[in-house]
DNA sequence: GTAGCGCGCGCC
DNA sequence: AAAGGGCGCGCGCTAC
């Protein structure tokens, strides 16, 4: 069953069963919405069709209501309206996107926290979806869009119908259906991750900071260890006043000291011999920790023992997620020890080993490459096949093939890989060639790359004019290759993101059944939000890695569910093709213990 | 005072 | 060791 959700008049939500009628079977005040969803979910387990999960679902979760399935129209439109699988039908028939949809993936979704209406007044999407004015005095329903509370249910219905028509008439309806279901499940998961939060032990984090940086400094001061390193660097450079935090200043001081660098980046510094370099690199390391993940980060982001970043499913062009605030996708390894399970709970930590090369093998149907990945370690498999001599060589060669390396050791090794795995190499080369000519490329399930912008096109067309200079042509070639590297990587990274979404979506539903099998009386409740009391739930997601927080008695079942879901994701994407997706999986108390 | 940008670096 | 894809964030700096 499907239930379409939309607005109907100020502060009221309408529910439509499109199989029966376009007339709502129920309308409900916003403050009763959660109870109505709870009851319908229990009775019918429908797929909820709504404009934007990021606007609807957090308020349900806050009331302890979870839903099993949804269709997120904003995310689906971002896929369908750009996919090469729908190009023909979009060109041939009238399928105009409604105005309330945002223009592209970058704008998909709004912040999960409530934005003051004043600062969002310029955004038609925000106005249309803004339920937070529901408590304001009722206004004329016929007034302008600012008075519409949420996308009207009629518009939601119409958009859903438009999207279904695109899927049905597309080149690969089955692939797109799977992608939209996975993307929508991702939207639910993103909201749930925020609601649940990642268990974060402030004391452990503070001990890490103290051991690396020294005691917390007074406001406006630097930690003692950084001050000491800075003094050492200034002395060794013979630049007593240099500000190490200023790139310009530091670059000048380095050159005056006879170190001929073009930048102050770590990898370039390390190429030079000078006594100041070691303490300078150490200073930069600490400086990064201080500004990104130290005491002020803790104060801002960890509340009641939980880190709650805002996840943005579908937030990047390739379909990987983004986050907004807190840097959740960049947590340095050395502070991960602060991720600690609640008493009586455990963390099940899993990441997909060498996900992208395995995805490439599957995408290209490259039997030899899939064979190298059979068993545990993909890179050793490549060495075993005699393609290169060492595991490190295998790694740089593979990364070079997927990222488009042309120089260095990586660039030199790529041809050997191409001889051993011609199908895989041909696939990424073809993707690069498409990008170089300004075309878009598409993932296995149907997400297509954006087209290069006007400036890129202008550069290319300038170079094709008769009066173009050699410099124009060089520039155009270089820009073309840049875009080719993007599309080369896009197909692999994007398809890997699809695998990860399928993995998580499958895991999410398995976790729900584990929870439903019952919890022994007296088990300790988590401090998580009420939607996750006593049930295993996802608390972290990072491209190819997940963490589940679970009552200890369920940990083994959760681990099995994680592994089963990975197997299932591989089958969903690649059918019977024999590519394996092994996991590094651990049941631990602390995230830090999962690295082994 | 703030907006925008380049840099550098954390993660995958 | 080398410099090839995707991101977000904090900083210093410049321009307004």
């Amino acid at each position: 069953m499907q239930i379409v959700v939309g607005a109907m008049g100020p502060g009221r939500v309408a529910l439509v069963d499109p199989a029966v009628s376009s007339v709502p079977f129920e309308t409900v005040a916003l403050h009763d919405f959660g109870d109505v969803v709870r009851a319908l979910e229990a009775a019918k387990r429908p797929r909820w069709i709504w404009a934007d999960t990021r606007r609807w679902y957090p308020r349900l979760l806050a009331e302890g209501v979870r839903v099993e399935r949804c269709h997120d129209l904003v995310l689906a439109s971002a896929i369908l309206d750009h996919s090469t699988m729908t190009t023909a039908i979009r060109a041939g028939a009238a399928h105009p996107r409604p105005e309330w949809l945002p223009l592209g993936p970058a704008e998909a979704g709004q912040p999960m926290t409530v934005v003051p209406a004043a600062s969002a007044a310029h955004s038609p999407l925000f106005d249309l979806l803004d339920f937070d004015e529901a408590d304001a005095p009722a206004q004329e329903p016929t007034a302008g869009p600012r008075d519409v509370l949420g996308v009207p249910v009629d518009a939601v219905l119409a958009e859903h119908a438009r999207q279904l028509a695109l899927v049905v008439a597309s080149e690969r309806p089955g692939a797109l259906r799977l992608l939209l279901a996975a993307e929508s499940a991702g939207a639910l998961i993103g909201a749930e991750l925020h609601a649940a939060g990642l268990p974060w032990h402030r004391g452990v984090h503070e001990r890490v900071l103290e051991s690396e940086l020294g005691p917390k400094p007074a406001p406006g001061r630097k930690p003692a260890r950084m001050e000491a390193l800075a003094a050492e660097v200034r002395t060794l450079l013979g630049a007593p006043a240099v500000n190490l935090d200023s790139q310009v200043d530091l670059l000048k001081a380095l050159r005056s000291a006879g170190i001929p660098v073009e930048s102050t980046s770590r990898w370039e510094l390390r190429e030079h011999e000078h006594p100041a370099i070691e303490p300078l690199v150490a200073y930069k390391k600490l400086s990064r920790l201080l500004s990104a993940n130290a005491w002020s980060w803790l104060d801002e982001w960890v509340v009641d023992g939980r880190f709650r970043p805002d996840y943005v499913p579908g937030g990047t062009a390739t379909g990987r997620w983004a986050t907004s605030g807190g840097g959740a996708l960049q947590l340095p390894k050395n502070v991960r020890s602060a991720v600690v399970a609640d008493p009586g709970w455990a963390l099940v930590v899993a990441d997909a080993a060498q996900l992208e090369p395995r995805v490439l093998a599957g995408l290209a149907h490259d039997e030899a490459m899939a064979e190298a990945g059979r068993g545990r370690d993909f890179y050793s498999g490549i060495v075993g096949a005699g393609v290169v001599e060492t595991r490190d060589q295998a790694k740089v060669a593979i990364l070079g093939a997927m990222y488009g390396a042309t120089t260095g050791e990586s660039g030199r090794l790529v041809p050997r890989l191409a001889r051993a795995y011609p199908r895989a190499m041909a696939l990424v080369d073809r993707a690069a060639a498409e990008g170089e000519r300004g075309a878009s490329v598409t993932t296995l399930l149907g997400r297509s790359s954006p087209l290069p912008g006007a400036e890129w096109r202008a550069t290319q067309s300038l170079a094709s004019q008769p009066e173009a200079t050699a410099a124009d042509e060089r520039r155009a070639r270089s820009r073309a290759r840049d875009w080719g590297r993007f599309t080369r990587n896009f197909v692999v990274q994007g398809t890997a993101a699809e695998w990860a979404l399928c993995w998580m979506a499958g895991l999410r539903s398995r976790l729900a059944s584990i929870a439903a099998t019952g919890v022994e009386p007296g088990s300790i409740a988590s401090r998580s939000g009420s939607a996750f009391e006593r049930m295993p739930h996802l608390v972290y997601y990072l491209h190819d890695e997940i963490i589940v927080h679970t009552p200890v008695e369920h940990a083994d079942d959760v681990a099995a569910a994680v592994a089963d879901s990975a197997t299932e994701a591989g089958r969903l994407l690649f059918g019977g093709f024999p590519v394996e997706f092994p996991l590094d999986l651990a049941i631990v108390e602390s995230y830090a213990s999962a690295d082994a």
Side-chain angles (χ1 to χ4, degrees):
Chain A
M1 184 199 190
Q2 301 181 330
I3 297 180
V4 175
V5 178
M8 196 169 204
R12 292 194 73 79
V13 182
L15 307 178
V16 172
D17 178 353
V20 173
S21 159
S22 60
V23 178
F25 64 85
E26 185 160 1
T27 68
V28 57
L30 189 59
H31 57 82
D32 294 326
F33 180 59
D35 289 334
V36 171
V37 171
R38 194 196 315 270
L40 284 165
E41 181 71 20
K44 317 254 188 187
R45 297 168 61 188
R47 184 178 297 276
W48 298 90
I49 293 149
W50 51 42
D52 183 357
T53 307
R54 283 163 63 76
R55 297 293 296 175
W56 282 102
Y57 199 33
R59 69 172 61 234
L60 293 175
L61 288 170
E63 295 181 48
V65 180
R66 294 176 80 253
V67 303
E68 187 177 320
R69 297 182 297 168
C70 79
H71 178 97
D72 184 305
L73 292 168
V74 167
L75 290 172
S77 141
I79 292 167
L80 292 172
D81 290 316
H82 297 95
S83 177
T84 56
M85 291 181 187
T86 61
T87 304
I89 177 74
R90 279 186 284 121
H95 284 281
R97 316 171 78 242
E99 276 179 24
W100 55 265
L101 285 172
L103 291 174
E107 295 133 288
Q110 291 287 325
M112 212 161 327
T113 47
V114 176
V115 180
S119 71
H122 60 280
S123 161
L125 176 68
F126 184 91
D127 295 337
L128 286 166
L129 295 177
D130 182 14
F131 277 80
D132 299 301
E133 293 176 358
D135 302 325
Q139 289 157 333
E140 289 301 310
T142 52
R146 276 202 60 77
D147 304 318
V148 180
L149 301 173
V151 181
V153 71
D154 291 354
V156 178
L157 258 172
E159 173 59 9
H160 185 231
R162 183 185 78 95
Q163 295 192 358
L164 288 185
L166 283 175
V167 170
V168 166
S170 73
E171 290 166 15
R172 296 188 52 212
L176 281 174
R177 263 191 212 102
L178 175 57
L179 177 54
L180 299 187
E183 186 84 341
S184 294
L188 295 175
I189 292 165
E192 289 169 1
L193 289 171
H194 179 85
L198 182 63
W200 200 276
H201 196 297
R202 194 183 179 95
V204 172
H205 190 157
E206 283 169 344
R207 283 195 286 283
V208 171
L209 295 179
E210 180 134 0
S211 80
E212 303 241 352
L213 293 163
K216 179 178 179 179
R221 300 292 300 264
K222 291 228 161 94
R225 202 152 299 159
M226 283 177 67
E227 294 285 18
L229 285 166
E232 194 184 342
V233 173
R234 288 193 198 101
T235 306
L236 292 166
L237 288 179
V242 64
N243 174 9
L244 300 190
D245 299 324
S246 162
Q247 195 261 358
V248 177
D249 211 17
L250 176 59
L251 193 59
K252 260 186 267 177
L254 288 165
R255 286 174 175 167
S256 308
I259 309 172
V261 283
E262 295 300 315
S263 74
T264 63
S265 66
R266 186 157 53 213
W267 69 266
E268 192 181 351
L269 289 172
R270 288 220 167 115
E271 288 177 344
H272 296 90
E273 291 283 335
H274 191 284
I277 285 173
E278 193 208 316
L280 174 56
V281 168
Y283 175 89
K284 283 165 150 286
K285 182 102 187 149
L286 294 185
S287 173
R288 167 76 189 186
L289 177 61
L290 176 68
S291 68
N293 293 101
W295 295 277
S296 50
W297 181 90
L298 261 174
D299 291 341
E300 187 175 355
W301 288 102
V302 177
V303 178
D304 290 338
R306 291 291 186 268
F307 170 42
R308 298 174 194 276
D310 282 345
Y311 290 89
V312 188
T316 76
T318 60
R320 274 190 176 179
W321 291 13
T323 56
S324 147
L329 305 184
Q330 301 125 258
L331 288 178
K333 298 212 163 174
N334 59 354
V335 306
R336 293 183 181 185
S337 55
V339 179
V340 180
D342 287 354
W345 289 60
L347 303 174
V348 178
V349 181
D351 73 276
Q354 304 115 16
L355 175 59
E356 294 193 351
R358 293 172 192 277
V359 161
L360 173 55
L363 259 181
H365 279 84
D366 192 315
E367 305 259 4
M369 195 168 172
E371 171 65 32
R374 205 138 313 145
R376 280 271 322 116
D377 183 57
F378 189 85
Y379 301 132
S380 304
I382 294 175
V383 175
V387 179
V388 293
E389 281 75 47
T390 68
R391 192 182 179 280
D392 263 11
Q393 285 182 336
K395 189 172 176 175
V396 285
I398 286 283
L399 294 177
M402 293 189 307
Y403 293 160
T406 53
T407 60
E409 188 187 8
S410 182
R412 280 192 299 279
L413 288 169
V414 167
R416 295 166 71 174
L417 210 64
R419 277 194 294 280
Y421 310 118
R423 300 189 70 151
M425 205 63 213
L427 186 136
V428 288
D429 282 347
R430 212 178 314 126
E434 292 292 303
E436 289 187 23
R437 66 178 182 85
S440 81
V441 295
T442 299
T443 61
L444 180 67
L445 297 186
R447 194 187 309 262
S448 296
S449 65
L451 294 173
E455 195 188 324
W456 188 94
R457 290 181 185 287
T459 305
Q460 300 303 317
S461 70
L462 176 66
S464 65
Q465 304 297 318
E467 65 271 25
T469 66
D472 291 336
E473 284 167 15
R474 260 201 315 280
R475 212 167 85 83
R477 279 304 302 156
S478 167
R479 291 293 156 277
R481 276 194 299 267
D482 289 347
W483 199 259
R485 281 192 299 277
F486 167 57
T487 53
R488 171 190 294 271
N489 186 250
F490 183 95
V491 291
V492 179
Q493 190 185 117
T495 305
E498 288 164 356
W499 181 92
L501 279 176
C502 290
W503 179 37
M504 268 201 305
L507 174 58
R508 176 175 180 268
S509 64
R510 283 176 171 85
L511 293 180
S513 2
I514 291 172
T517 60
V519 180
E520 290 72 16
S523 85
I524 301 158
S526 163
R527 287 177 285 121
S528 303
S530 59
F532 308 103
E533 287 294 320
R534 296 178 169 187
M535 82 179 270
H537 55 276
L538 282 154
V539 289
Y540 191 58
Y541 168 52
L542 179 57
H543 307 318
D544 60 1
E545 177 171 359
I546 55 97
I547 302 179
V548 176
H549 195 208
T550 177
V552 284
E553 65 268 24
H554 292 316
D556 289 332
D557 289 342
V558 168
V562 170
D564 291 347
S565 305
T567 306
E568 181 191 48
R571 255 202 306 276
L572 280 170
L573 264 67
F574 302 111
F577 185 78
V579 57
E580 292 179 353
F581 294 94
L583 304 175
D584 287 320
L585 192 151
I587 300 171
V588 293
E589 198 197 333
S590 162
Y591 191 12
S593 327
D595 265 339

